[in-house]
Amino acid sequence: MKINKKLIIILSGITFMCTSCRDWLDIKPEDEVYGKDLFSSYQGFKDALNGCYMALADCNAYGERLTMSNIESLAAQWNLTSDYYRKADYYFLHHDYTQDDAKNAIKTIYSQLFNVITQANMIIGACEQYGNNIADPASRAMIEGEAYGIRAFCQLDILRLFGQLPQNATLTVSLPYSESADIKIMPVYYSFEDYVKKLDEDLDKACSLLKDYDLIFKYTFDQLNNPSNINLNDDYLAYRQLHFNYWGVKALKARLYLYTGDVTKAHDNAMEIINAKGADGKSLMKLSGREDLLKGLYACPSECLLAIHKYNLRDYSPTVLGGDADRKINPAEQLCLNGTWNLQRLFTGFSITSHNRYIYQWELNTESSSNGQKFPTLKKYYSKYSSDNDMVKGQIIPLLRISELYLIAMETTTSLEEANALYKEYMASHDISISAEDSFTSLDAVANFMLAEYQREFYAEGVMFYQYKRRNSTSMTFLFGETMNEGLYVLPLPETEYNPNAIQ
């Protein structure tokens, strides 16, 4: 979509604004007139929301740093033996936040998240002030609901990166929860408990706005991915997998509740999605296995409740992750595993000749450009050829998949029978048959299965660091010779940021 010139001016101001809260009051609110003009029409609201999604998909956020690289390095997912090429990733691997490259990466991520948050706030405020400029109440509700969902998504990751441990914390941290686009207003800092309440309120608001109007209640995800076939008057709010749709927000609730230890709510939200029916009366969304993978859709788009679109994903992902058997890599520059034995270690307990994630998502024969040594590289975001409806199938990075909801439900259920039923269905989508002898014999066994499965399933999706953190794990699978502790799980706020925790 072509973006309004006024929006570009506003976004440029926001990008600068978010670099430092110390500079917050020094910036003149010159965007107020532009904002009024921008939101004088429905098209302006769409342009603003589109800009918000573009910022979310920026490589400094979920286009790379918070999916493929920096966040995965914090979880020791990649083989990095020196800081020559990827300095920030190397320091994150060793959880050394004192180095300049690590500090700059932290500042970049923090600034980009608040860039997105501020844009979402701008849309929320405009819906309240200029919402009557959108003639269709359904369109207004969807735009406002999506903005609340985007804000909550980013604020949750601020909490998961920079906040204290979600349970049994001895280090307490207050964090900013921004609810205004007014650059004259400093965001309020909240304790962990109050911050979580703000997240819950935003997610409730998003759900309340979307539940009566989201197109996902009239059409299936597949139908909305092909809007020309259903004759929508306005197809901008189609493609619900690429928008913060009602079920994506519900999934975000389940993720939040699991992280904060509210297991009953986590389970109930996860099961609501798993059991939900689509507009055609069939399951809302099925687990994605061989059907996607055989088509070269290695990111499992068919099970994405929420994803971002990156039109150039095939161009840049090999420079980050490899994944193309015909391209040699520099293992000090591209992020990879150190040998097939480490990949096989990930799949301990499962047949690597059957498990479709091992077979299809990893390229085993990526050669080093220097000595021909072979390294396993992830091809989740790379395929040689475009797919049908490539925008929603081949050019996406998952943010929330239904696989995660199955794992949440399995971990939080109080019924061993339910856990085993979910487990059998989940593993069948991975081409692994679970017999009675393979079933879990206790809920403790279910819990013990989880950490390794998150690692197998969500490589380069920015999931694993938060799984280690919520457990306060002292070890990580590929972190050798180092012990994790509570302090290492709490990233320091950027030095340019007001930090009440430093003056307590």
Side-chain angles (χ1 to χ4, degrees), residues 214-253:
D214 198 322
L215 293 176
I216 197 57
F217 295 114
K218 292 183 178 181
Y219 306 99
T220 66
F221 281 115
D222 283 343
Q223 287 175 317
L224 290 166
N225 287 338
N226 297 277
S228 61
N229 296 333
I230 52 178
N231 299 316
L232 293 177
N233 292 329
D234 174 20
D235 65 6
Y236 175 72
L237 292 173
Y239 305 103
R240 297 310 291 160
Q241 287 174 290
L242 303 181
H243 287 256
F244 273 74
N245 63 83
Y246 177 82
W247 294 111
V249 173
K250 293 288 286 186
L252 186 57
K253 275 177 165 278

Side-chain angles (χ1 to χ4, degrees), residues 247-265:
W247 294 111
V249 173
K250 293 288 286 186
L252 186 57
K253 275 177 165 278
R255 176 184 280 180
L256 167 66
Y257 296 140
L258 180 70
Y259 186 73
T260 58
D262 195 338
V263 294
T264 300
K265 286 185 178 179

Side-chain angles (χ1 to χ4, degrees), residues 353-490:
T353 60
S354 301
H355 201 299
N356 58 38
R357 271 43 171 183
Y358 182 94
I359 295 169
Y360 295 109
Q361 288 187 332
W362 291 90
E363 175 54 59
L364 304 182
N365 297 308
T366 312
E367 288 190 12
S368 166
S369 57
S370 60
N371 58 17
Q373 182 180 350
K374 294 181 179 180
F375 293 87
T377 59
L378 189 69
K379 54 184 181 180
K380 182 173 284 186
Y381 301 122
Y382 178 77
S383 60
K384 290 184 182 298
Y385 309 107
S386 61
S387 62
D388 292 337
N389 206 352
D390 207 35
M391 184 178 80
V392 293
K393 295 295 184 181
Q395 300 174 350
I396 61 103
I397 298 173
L399 297 182
L400 278 159
R401 291 196 282 123
I402 202 165
S403 283
E404 184 175 346
L405 279 300
Y406 271 77
L407 297 186
I408 290 173
M410 287 165 59
E411 182 177 347
T412 56
T413 184
T414 58
S415 166
L416 183 60
E417 181 181 3
E418 181 178 70
N420 276 316
L422 292 166
Y423 178 52
K424 186 173 183 178
E425 184 180 354
Y426 175 84
M427 292 311 303
S429 74
H430 295 65
D431 289 335
I432 300 293
S433 177
I434 300 298
S435 65
E437 292 75 19
D438 298 323
S439 297
F440 297 116
T441 57
S442 69
L443 291 175
D444 286 341
V446 178
N448 291 335
F449 165 78
M450 284 299 144
L451 192 62
E453 185 57 30
Y454 272 105
Q455 189 168 26
R456 278 187 289 271
E457 183 65 18
F458 297 106
Y459 239 91
E461 294 183 39
V463 169
M464 203 59 203
F465 177 71
Y466 308 127
Q467 291 299 320
Y468 285 129
K469 181 172 180 174
R470 74 179 178 88
R471 294 170 171 84
N472 194 16
S473 299
T474 58
S475 62
M476 296 177 171
T477 303
F478 297 130
L479 183 64
F480 304 109
E482 297 181 36
T483 301
M484 291 296 293
N485 60 56
E486 182 177 0
L488 297 179
Y489 282 115
V490 181

Side-chain angles (χ1 to χ4, degrees), residues 117-132:
I117 290 165
T118 306
Q119 292 182 51
N121 289 340
M122 181 174 65
I123 295 168
I124 291 168
C127 285
E128 296 171 356
Q129 191 170 3
Y130 308 115
N132 289 336

Side-chain angles (χ1 to χ4, degrees), residues 146-164:
E146 288 184 32
Y148 273 104
I150 290 168
R151 182 168 80 184
F153 187 89
C154 293
Q155 290 279 185
L156 174 56
D157 279 356
I158 291 288
L159 180 70
R160 297 198 296 175
L161 286 166
F162 300 95
Q164 65 196 55

